[in-house]
């Protein structure tokens, strides 16, 4: 059973999510929050598997709430729900530690699949969307002075040469299939390498590994057309 906290300032939106999730055998809504501060408090109290987090809420917004929830090191993971594809705040939410984001008009099966993926430790942004998101907002990333050849970070040094190749490929937004084809590996081998890379660099999921790759200067956004 996956437990869920719904954080959204719109009562009808919370009601809709609750109806869907309560009608699903393997999900349980354990609480609701109408703003960010309440989401932080309720998450600490209820320790849900997943927090469905709206971004734009009065007072403390979903970005700061996400940051505070994940800073505690607790078990709860955050799935951001946004109104628009590539909402200007979505990238900031990912930087705060969210495990991905979905559109509020997603089909019910997409929302349920996303919740299950996040609860299981995966990300829910497709690689193509990851690539487009970072191409759009990657200019906001800090420049740590690292170069692609010698990133100044011990997490890079902890990787084998093959794992370094994998991290660069993840940063490019490639799927496991694309990585397998380009590096001439089986998909099962790629999956194993990806798991090891995430563990070594301390990334919660693939999205956080993409962000790390950009932070290290391993890849940069495509120049504007």
């Amino acid at each position: 059973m996956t437990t869920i906290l719904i954080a959204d300032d719109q009562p009808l939106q919370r009601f809709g999510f609750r109806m869907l999730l309560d009608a699903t055998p393997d999900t349980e809504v354990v609480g609701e929050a109408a703003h960010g501060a309440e989401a932080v408090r309720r998450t600490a109290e209820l320790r849900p598997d997943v927090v469905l987090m709206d971004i734009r809420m009065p007072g403390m917004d979903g970005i700061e709430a996400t940051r505070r929830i994940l800073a505690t090191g607790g078990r709860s993971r955050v799935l951001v729900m946004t109104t628009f594809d590539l909402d200007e705040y979505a990238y900031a939410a990912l930087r705060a530690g969210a495990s991905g984001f979905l559109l509020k008009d997603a089909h019910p099966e997409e929302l349920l699949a996303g919740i299950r993926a996040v609860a299981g430790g995966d990300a829910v942004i497709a690689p193509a969307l990851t690539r487009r998101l970072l191409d759009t907002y990657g200019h906001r990333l800090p420049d740590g002075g690292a170069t692609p050849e010698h990133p100044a970070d011990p997490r890079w040094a902890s990787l084998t040469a093959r794992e370094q190749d994998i991290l660069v490929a993840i940063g490019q937004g490639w799927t496991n299939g694309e990585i397998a084809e380009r590096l001439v590996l089986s998909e099962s081998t790629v999956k194993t390498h990806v798991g090891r890379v995430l563990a070594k660099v301390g990334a919660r999921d693939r999205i956080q590994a993409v962000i790390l790759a950009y932070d290290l200067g391993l890849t940069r956004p495509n120049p504007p057309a």
Side-chain angles (χ1 to χ4, degrees), residues 47-110:
R47 301 181 63 199
D49 296 312
V50 178
V51 179
L52 283 185
M53 182 74 75
D54 186 22
I55 290 181
R56 301 180 184 183
M57 293 185 288
M60 183 189 299
D61 63 19
I63 296 171
E64 181 60 25
T66 296
R67 186 177 295 111
R68 295 192 186 191
I69 287 171
L70 297 177
T72 67
R75 61 191 295 272
S76 300
R77 299 170 65 84
V78 177
L79 175 57
V80 170
M81 304 299 295
T82 183
T83 305
F84 301 105
D85 187 7
L86 292 184
D87 182 285
E88 63 178 349
Y89 299 111
Y91 183 75
L94 297 180
R95 292 282 299 174
S99 293
F101 73 92
L102 293 175
L103 300 180
K104 287 187 177 181
D105 62 357
H107 294 295
E109 59 270 21
E110 293 175 330

Side-chain angles (χ1 to χ4, degrees), residues 183-195:
L183 299 184
V184 194
L185 299 169
S186 69
E187 284 200 45
S188 62
T189 298
V190 170
K191 185 175 181 180
T192 298
H193 281 311
V194 169

Side-chain angles (χ1 to χ4, degrees), residues 6 25 27 48 55 58 62 73 79 81 114 151 154 172 191 204 218-219:
I6 302 169
T27 59
I55 290 181
L79 175 57
M81 304 299 295
Q172 295 290 346
K191 185 175 181 180
R204 291 169 60 93
L218 301 175
T219 184

Side-chain angles (χ1 to χ4, degrees), residues 15-213:
F15 178 74
F17 285 144
R18 178 180 278 276
M19 283 193 63
L20 170 65
L21 296 171
D22 282 347
T24 303
D26 63 342
T27 59
E28 177 187 4
V29 176
V30 294
E32 299 182 11
H35 52 77
E38 186 177 16
V40 173
R41 183 176 66 255
R42 297 285 281 165
T43 298
E45 293 172 353
L46 301 171
R47 301 181 63 199
D49 296 312
V50 178
V51 179
L52 283 185
M53 182 74 75
D54 186 22
I55 290 181
R56 301 180 184 183
M57 293 185 288
M60 183 189 299
D61 63 19
I63 296 171
E64 181 60 25
T66 296
R67 186 177 295 111
R68 295 192 186 191
I69 287 171
L70 297 177
T72 67
R75 61 191 295 272
S76 300
R77 299 170 65 84
V78 177
L79 175 57
V80 170
M81 304 299 295
T82 183
T83 305
F84 301 105
D85 187 7
L86 292 184
D87 182 285
E88 63 178 349
Y89 299 111
Y91 183 75
L94 297 180
R95 292 282 299 174
S99 293
F101 73 92
L102 293 175
L103 300 180
K104 287 187 177 181
D105 62 357
H107 294 295
E109 59 270 21
E110 293 175 330
L111 174 60
L112 294 172
I115 289 172
R116 293 178 183 122
V118 167
D122 292 328
V124 297
I125 298 182
L129 184 53
T130 302
R131 187 180 300 134
R132 185 152 54 93
L133 177 70
L134 291 175
D135 284 346
T136 302
Y137 295 107
H139 66 280
R140 300 183 183 181
L141 290 166
D143 183 0
T147 66
E149 293 79 14
H150 303 286
D153 192 291
R155 290 169 293 184
W156 173 257
S158 73
L159 303 177
T160 66
R162 176 56 77 191
E163 289 166 351
Q164 290 174 348
D165 292 340
I166 296 292
L167 179 56
V168 172
I170 292 173
Q172 295 290 346
W174 295 353
T175 65
N176 284 355
E178 289 172 331
I179 295 174
E181 180 179 355
R182 300 185 192 201
L183 299 184
V184 194
L185 299 169
S186 69
E187 284 200 45
S188 62
T189 298
V190 170
K191 185 175 181 180
T192 298
H193 281 311
V194 169
R196 289 174 179 168
V197 168
L198 297 184
K200 285 187 176 183
V201 303
R204 291 169 60 93
D205 49 45
R206 197 182 188 102
I207 291 174
Q208 298 304 307
V210 171
I211 292 173
L212 173 63

